[in-house]
Amino acid sequence: MFYQLYELSHAAMSPWRAAADAMRLAYTNPLNPISQTPAGRTLAAGLEVFERTTRRYGKPEFGIHETTIDFQKVPVHEDIVWKKPFCNLIHFHRALPPEAKRGPKVLIVAPMSGHYATLLRGTVETLLPSADVYITDWIDARMVPVSEGFFDLDDYIDYIIEMIHCLGSDTHVLAVCQPSVPVLAAVSVMEKRGDPLSPRSMTLMGGPIDTRINPTAVNTLAETKPLEWFRDNVIMRVPWPQPGFMREVYPGFLQLSGFMSMNLDKHMIAQKDFFQHLVEGDGDSAEKHRDFYDEYLAVMDLTAEFYLQTVKTVFIDHALPKGSFMHRDELVEPSAVKSVALLTVEGENDDISGLGQTRAAHDLCVNIPENMRQHYMQPKVGHYGVFNGSRFRAEIAPRILDFMRTHDTDKAVAKKAPARRRKRVLAAVAGK
């Protein structure tokens, strides 16, 4: 009943929230003389803080309408090029000038861990001038009717393989945080099968490949609780009247509570500073606060089966580094990866995926040649600094793009050549 109570409390606050917003507009109206007084600004600031604290934040938009290529502004629009019940694949189509190079084709696999893919807006904006960017736009589980079936970690891996097939063998896959594990698993499965459409490179950023290394608070919680504890305490059914009514989910608001509790003092200070900025009329600082929290507080539900399978496989069993990771009935063997280049990126102060957890991918992918692998640790950044912010733009993104360009060779031709030879041989035999 906890999810229902959460929804009920939100609905009960709606009249108060509407009244607070109306009063805020009245006290910020320049025609109201009280709006120019300290008392008026203080009251308006308090009303806005109340309204923002009690509202539900909907799915944000990417809002990327242009980028700069060779000092020219180029229009950008979003196209959905692949679609399934739990995910859309978005292409940021650039109207390139005739002389401009397309750049590497990059599939960004966004985390399915509570926030929407728009959390990677800065990642997309940074790569767009130099790359042809696609991103996974995962669907809020409470918006997917039960009739669409289940979605677990195996389905997640299948989705990644299908998307790579859709885009072609000249794709470079970039996984941010949580999807590092399923991306590595998907590429391993493709390589083991001899799939000619396996990507040219994979970049794993701040991901929990081996959570036994420098475990964080997130890792410790998963290890100290049995899987039944998670099922009994954090799995709930979507309440009416949502489209996913009666679907079992891990609610986004629970994940958000966990994230915020890790740095609660910083969030409380941020709210206090926001109030002060409003009172003092510091519009720029207040707007930066709004932009950040409009994104940070927008969360989505995860299907129960995906969440529980991920907790068990990645954080409790450590199946991938122990060599027991199964994709359906097939053993996932990272040692099968031989022709896909590997780049791992970590943040020195990452408090979600500890230092060394992502680099462990190199210990698993033992058959990738040395000239096709690279690791980079960014000093003085936390988890979000690995894929966003000034250091990402200045130091991490250039390395990622350089790595992709280095390995942007047409290996697909080499992969398909043996198949063509086999066809010719079979045709010759059939002719005889």
Side-chain angles (χ1 to χ4, degrees):
M1 294 294 292
F2 189 71
Y3 203 151
Q4 286 85 346
L5 290 173
Y6 172 80
E7 291 287 298
L8 182 61
S9 65
H10 183 268
M13 292 298 296
S14 295
W16 298 97
R17 190 163 48 252
D21 198 33
M23 292 177 65
R24 178 188 64 83
L25 292 173
Y27 280 103
T28 54
N29 192 320
L31 298 178
N32 185 349
I34 299 178
S35 67
Q36 309 303 319
T37 66
R41 290 196 297 270
T42 300
L43 182 57
L47 290 167
E48 180 168 351
V49 170
F50 171 80
E51 190 275 331
R52 292 183 61 82
T53 303
T54 57
R55 77 161 72 160
R56 171 178 289 129
Y57 290 78
K59 179 183 178 181
E61 296 181 355
F62 279 100
I64 302 174
H65 304 297
E66 64 178 19
T67 188
T68 302
I69 300 177
D70 296 332
F71 306 103
Q72 298 182 47
K73 295 290 185 181
V74 174
V76 176
H77 67 268
E78 299 176 22
D79 293 326
I80 297 177
V81 298
W82 181 92
K83 189 173 185 178
K84 282 290 182 75
F86 292 90
C87 184
N88 294 326
L89 180 59
I90 296 178
H91 178 214
F92 294 92
H93 178 79
R94 303 167 298 166
L96 292 175
E99 67 280 3
K101 295 182 179 180
R102 186 197 71 176
K105 182 190 293 182
V106 182
L107 168 60
I108 301 177
V109 184
M112 191 177 184
S113 55
H115 284 104
Y116 292 96
T118 51
L119 192 67
L120 304 186
R121 183 185 295 105
T123 313
V124 174
E125 288 177 330
T126 302
L127 297 179
L128 264 181
S130 306
D132 188 21
V133 180
Y134 298 76
I135 193 169
T136 58
D137 185 26
W138 301 106
I139 307 298
D140 187 347
R142 73 178 192 158
M143 304 303 293
V144 183
V146 176
S147 59
E148 294 289 354
F150 296 99
F151 181 85
D152 59 14
L153 185 58
D154 290 320
D155 296 313
Y156 193 115
I157 294 172
D158 287 338
Y159 272 32
I160 293 172
I161 294 175
E162 287 185 35
M163 284 184 275
I164 294 174
H165 283 176
C166 174
L167 298 181
S169 61
D170 58 341
T171 303
H172 299 266
V173 183
L174 187 153
V176 178
C177 188
Q178 168 267 322
S180 294
V181 172
V183 163
L184 179 54
V187 173
S188 299
V189 169
M190 295 178 76
E191 286 282 275
K192 184 179 178 180
R193 296 172 180 172
D195 194 327
L197 296 179
S198 59
R200 292 181 177 175
S201 75
M202 58 176 163
T203 300
L204 311 180
M205 306 177 65
I209 300 297
D210 189 349
T211 58
R212 298 172 299 177
I213 302 172
N214 291 325
T216 63
V218 176
N219 309 147
T220 304
L221 173 63
E223 289 184 344
T224 55
K225 303 289 186 182
L227 191 66
E228 291 71 22
W229 183 90
F230 291 95
R231 170 166 289 283
D232 294 340
N233 289 276
V234 303
I235 300 302
M236 306 173 189
R237 291 191 182 274
V238 176
W240 184 84
Q242 302 300 330
F245 174 56
M246 293 303 291
R247 177 181 292 281
E248 285 193 324
V249 297
Y250 171 53
F253 66 84
L254 286 184
Q255 181 77 321
L256 179 63
S257 300
F259 280 142
M260 296 193 73
S261 64
M262 294 175 64
N263 298 285
L264 187 59
D265 55 337
K266 293 182 180 180
H267 292 294
M268 294 180 68
I269 292 172
Q271 293 296 323
K272 178 181 72 68
D273 291 344
F274 176 57
F275 178 83
Q276 291 296 331
H277 294 321
L278 291 173
V279 173
E280 296 166 3
D282 186 353
D284 290 340
S285 297
E287 192 59 31
K288 288 180 181 178
H289 176 97
R290 293 189 190 98
D291 290 342
F292 175 79
Y293 278 98
D294 283 352
E295 190 73 56
Y296 188 76
L297 298 177
V299 291
M300 56 182 282
D301 295 353
L302 314 180
T303 63
E305 56 274 12
F306 168 79
Y307 174 77
L308 293 173
Q309 189 179 357
T310 299
V311 169
K312 182 179 188 300
T313 304
V314 178
F315 298 100
I316 296 178
D317 293 346
H318 310 290
L320 190 59
K322 287 183 177 180
S324 58
F325 194 114
M326 299 294 293
H327 171 55
R328 304 199 185 279
D329 297 326
E330 186 175 1
L331 180 66
V332 174
E333 300 178 61
S335 60
V337 182
K338 299 177 181 178
S339 61
V340 180
L342 172 63
L343 169 64
T344 53
V345 181
E346 295 181 330
E348 182 182 22
N349 302 323
D350 196 329
D351 59 350
I352 294 180
S353 295
L355 199 62
Q357 292 185 8
T358 312
R359 186 171 188 169
H362 291 279
D363 299 328
L364 303 178
C365 301
V366 294
N367 288 317
I368 298 178
E370 286 300 319
N371 64 342
M372 293 176 61
R373 60 171 73 233
Q374 184 178 330
H375 175 73
Y376 178 68
M377 189 277 290
Q378 176 62 49
K380 300 179 181 179
V381 301
H383 186 70
Y384 293 99
V386 171
F387 58 87
N388 211 340
S390 59
R391 287 193 174 93
F392 170 77
R393 292 189 295 269
E395 302 182 50
I396 298 177
R399 285 179 167 85
I400 293 173
L401 290 167
D402 182 64
F403 183 82
M404 291 177 176
R405 293 189 193 102
T406 300
H407 301 284
D408 201 26
T409 56
D410 195 5
K411 72 171 186 177
V413 174
K415 280 189 169 185
K416 292 175 182 177
R420 287 198 295 267
R421 284 196 295 271
R422 285 194 297 271
K423 287 180 180 179
R424 287 199 295 268
V425 171
L426 290 174
V429 172
K432 290 180 181 179

